[in-house]
Amino acid sequence: MKKLLSFKNIVISLLILLAIWQIIFSLSSFDSALFPSPLQAFQALIDMISSGVLISHIGSSMYRFAMGYVSAVVTAVLLGLILGRLPKVFQYINPAVQLLRPISPMAWMPFIVLWFGIGDIPAIVIIFIAAFFPVLLSTVSAVSGIDPIYLKVSKNFGIRQPHIIWKVIFPASFPQIANGIHLALGTAWVFLVAGEMVGAQSGLGYLVIDARNNLRSDILFADIIIIGLIGLILDTFLKVLEKQILKSWGGAD
Amino acid sequence: MYIEVQNASKTFLQNGKKFTAFNDVSLSIEKGEFICLLGPSGCGKSTLLNAIAGFSPVTEGSVKIDGKEVKEPSVKNVTIFQNYGLLPWRTVQKNVELGLEPKKIQKEERHKIADKYIELVGLSAFKKSHPRQLSGGMQQRVSIARALAVDPDIIFMDEPFGALDAITRMKLQDDILSISKQEKKTIIFVTHDIEEAVFLADRIVIMTPNPGKIKSIVTVPLKGHRERTASDFLQVRDKIFDLFNMKHEEQIEYII
């Protein structure tokens, strides 16, 4: 019942969005090449799907996203587990992290293109940077905030390094780490498109630039909708996964 | 003597000030004894327990178990905490197996040992449950099973029933008393509950605060299972009340 209700909410919400779009289109005096109607965008979407263009762009985007995001999560969690246990070391690393963190990954783009050229790598690096810091910081804070009783108990039962990391520290801090991983997903997806707009010859971000260059605002809108849709699907997927894992973790609720 | 505490003191630095948790404490405990450390909060009873258990060694004097100076916690001496210390992501069974894992015991053997002690504390039906699905009393049973599973020489209990309701607490007191007789463990039990101490202990170590020290050690003359309402039980309890000066002197007014 609850699921049905939320599905109904989604449909109504999207219909309202479409209606506003259609109303603006009908009222505005823009040329339809500059501002397409929902129907024109939908037509462009169907064309791209049937010609297979869309799926190949989605394919290359998802590949870069998976590479950048997964490698960022793995490195950040591993590093965070270590640094969280070494507060004396982290206090010398933290200021540098705080300095690098607010820099938009896009600011590194010129260097990244110079060093790695055009292709898959720039977008992967951008996503890596975007996802790395939130996961690192949430992991460090989760690990240093573990209830000391878990460590006392492990010490008492003779659980030593490195077992204590996998048996106690990682699972104890996992709920908060998962939260950071989830948060980083949204950020990383935002920067995938930005990264592909500059450093790639394929992908959903490149499609934005390509549509602009060809004055195809219908393709542009169709692409934007797909970007939003995939972001939503990824987020929902991770939310379900997170819930599932937390459940086997003993259930937060 | 099995456990030997000699002229032990523990001081902390707190906001730059020296704070004495307990001062010049001496205590000898024999193997198989059930000792209660009893006193109001701030008397250093938990700190003393932590020192004997090795979590935070004394700053002066010495603590020896079986002739060896205590410097760090040992697998042979397990502590049970007030807030259970269970790992919430593990099932009851995996929690009980925790202490067996570093011992390189085969998986089947681990299951067998865990099963035995989960049954002993009456939780066989909840083997696959997670701690959060259990009541406080059941969670403390799990941590008792986990402690027993590694077959320790000494069990330290730090106000283990302090967070439980009165009825559950009495049930667990019954259980821990019969377990201690059955498994023949040395148990050191911290509590601020006089009745609990009288019900459980062979000897009660009475501590007073500012600074924490041992006021007296009372040998409980009751043997085996005790009746909480029996007159000999109440007599011992009365004596302890006396030692804490908790009984008001009766002011009798005479009218002539």
Side-chain angles (χ1 to χ4, degrees):
Chain A
M1 191 62 207
K2 211 174 153 196
K3 255 199 174 130
L4 215 72
L5 216 69
S6 78
F7 182 70
K8 192 178 91 187
N9 294 348
I10 291 171
V11 170
I12 290 176
S13 166
L14 291 182
L15 284 177
I16 291 172
L17 196 65
L18 276 177
I20 292 173
W21 181 359
Q22 182 63 48
I23 289 166
I24 294 174
F25 174 77
S26 310
L27 297 179
S28 72
S29 52
F30 282 124
D31 189 288
S32 73
L34 295 177
F35 188 78
S37 71
L39 197 68
Q40 285 169 320
F42 183 69
Q43 191 57 51
L45 185 63
I46 297 295
D47 288 347
M48 279 196 293
I49 292 172
S50 56
S51 69
V53 173
L54 188 67
I55 202 75
S56 88
H57 282 303
I58 290 177
S60 38
S61 281
M62 293 315 289
Y63 166 72
R64 291 166 193 152
F65 184 74
M67 295 294 284
Y69 180 67
V70 171
S71 59
V73 166
V74 171
T75 3
V77 168
L78 286 176
L79 208 59
L81 285 174
I82 296 165
L83 290 176
R85 297 290 295 144
L86 303 169
K88 290 212 171 88
V89 176
F90 186 65
Q91 67 184 354
Y92 292 108
I93 293 176
N94 193 31
V97 170
Q98 298 302 340
L99 176 78
L100 293 172
R101 190 172 65 114
I103 301 169
S104 166
M106 290 310 289
W108 300 105
M109 201 48 162
F111 284 124
I112 294 169
V113 172
L114 283 175
W115 295 337
F116 301 109
I118 300 280
D120 287 335
I121 306 276
I124 292 174
V125 174
I126 291 288
I127 293 164
F128 183 94
I129 299 171
F132 180 77
F133 290 111
V135 177
L136 177 75
L137 290 173
S138 72
T139 307
V140 171
S141 115
V143 170
S144 49
I146 290 181
D147 190 338
I149 196 159
Y150 298 144
L151 305 174
K152 241 177 151 176
V153 166
S154 343
K155 205 171 171 193
N156 198 171
F157 283 113
I159 297 165
R160 303 193 186 284
Q161 302 280 12
H163 302 288
I164 192 168
I165 291 192
W166 303 118
K167 284 194 178 177
V168 180
I169 292 168
F170 179 64
S173 49
F174 181 77
Q176 208 185 329
I177 295 176
N179 197 24
I181 290 175
H182 190 177
L183 222 81
L185 180 92
T187 322
W189 185 249
V190 167
F191 280 103
L192 167 83
V193 174
E196 285 181 338
M197 284 171 73
V198 182
Q201 295 293 324
S202 62
L204 295 168
Y206 167 76
L207 196 57
V208 170
I209 295 300
D210 194 45
R212 182 202 64 183
N213 291 343
N214 295 312
L215 287 176
R216 287 293 302 270
S217 66
D218 52 342
I219 291 183
L220 185 50
F221 259 98
D223 187 28
I224 286 171
I225 289 165
I226 290 299
I227 290 166
L229 205 62
I230 294 178
L232 180 69
I233 291 168
L234 284 174
D235 188 76
T236 312
F237 172 71
L238 212 65
K239 218 182 261 170
V240 171
L241 194 72
E242 195 183 350
K243 225 177 181 172
Q244 213 57 42
I245 295 174
L246 284 181
K247 216 173 176 181
S248 68
W249 236 248
D253 35 295
Chain B
M1 273 300 157
Y2 183 49
I3 302 173
E4 193 76 64
V5 181
Q6 268 176 338
N7 308 104
S9 302
K10 176 85 189 177
T11 49
F12 295 103
L13 267 181
Q14 215 170 41
N15 306 326
K17 267 196 219 154
K18 217 167 103 177
F19 167 77
T20 307
F22 56 81
N23 192 27
D24 197 23
V25 165
S26 295
L27 177 65
S28 303
I29 297 167
E30 275 185 77
K31 205 164 193 155
E33 265 194 301
F34 199 130
I35 299 289
C36 275
L37 305 179
L38 175 67
S41 56
C43 71
K45 56 191 191 301
S46 284
T47 319
L48 178 60
L49 185 92
N50 271 306
I52 307 175
F55 287 111
S56 118
V58 292
T59 38
E60 268 172 67
S62 76
V63 175
K64 283 182 185 150
I65 295 177
D66 224 0
K68 271 186 233 113
E69 190 80 29
V70 174
K71 292 202 186 77
E72 56 175 6
S74 152
V75 196
K76 282 171 24 199
N77 313 321
V78 174
T79 303
I80 291 173
F81 301 95
Q82 182 175 5
N83 46 357
Y84 326 126
L86 299 175
L87 308 180
W89 57 90
R90 284 177 171 235
T91 59
V92 167
Q93 170 148 21
K94 296 285 282 172
N95 261 292
V96 175
E97 287 179 18
L98 180 74
L100 303 171
E101 287 167 9
K103 291 188 162 182
K104 309 247 181 298
I105 297 173
Q106 289 294 311
K107 208 172 177 183
E108 293 85 45
E109 185 63 23
R110 278 210 310 257
H111 289 339
K112 223 190 262 167
I113 297 172
D115 282 351
K116 179 181 157 195
Y117 288 102
I118 291 169
E119 198 185 329
L120 183 73
V121 297
L123 288 176
S124 293
F126 299 93
K127 244 167 42 175
K128 300 276 177 247
S129 304
H130 281 93
R132 280 202 187 93
Q133 296 164 309
L134 306 179
S135 69
M138 289 156 94
Q139 292 192 42
Q140 196 56 288
R141 283 168 195 275
V142 177
S143 90
I144 291 168
R146 182 174 67 179
L148 291 171
V150 295
D151 193 22
D153 297 333
I154 308 169
I155 299 177
F156 297 101
M157 305 183 89
D158 192 357
E159 301 196 30
F161 309 145
L164 306 176
D165 65 86
I167 308 281
T168 309
R169 196 185 312 153
M170 282 190 244
K171 183 77 188 74
L172 272 163
Q173 287 166 0
D174 284 342
D175 290 354
I176 200 72
L177 195 61
S178 58
I179 287 171
S180 81
K181 299 295 169 228
Q182 196 179 326
E183 303 277 323
K184 294 191 178 57
K185 304 289 182 199
T186 309
I187 297 181
I188 303 180
F189 189 108
V190 164
T191 181
H192 54 239
D193 181 341
I194 294 173
E195 276 198 38
E196 184 166 71
V198 176
F199 185 75
L200 295 171
D202 296 325
R203 285 193 296 152
I204 301 174
V205 176
I206 294 171
M207 297 183 71
T208 50
N210 305 319
K213 57 179 184 296
I214 294 178
K215 185 175 183 189
S216 54
I217 299 176
V218 177
T219 303
V220 180
L222 312 168
K223 289 278 165 270
H225 191 79
R226 296 149 199 203
E227 288 300 329
R228 290 184 180 84
T229 48
S231 65
D232 51 354
F233 182 90
L234 296 176
Q235 245 169 22
V236 180
R237 198 193 63 171
D238 259 21
K239 190 178 165 193
I240 312 275
F241 270 101
D242 269 347
L243 285 165
F244 279 115
N245 302 322
M246 296 270 278
K247 277 192 6 188
H248 294 285
E249 298 293 323
E250 276 183 69
Q251 302 273 334
I252 302 169
E253 281 181 39
Y254 294 96
I255 301 169
I256 301 169

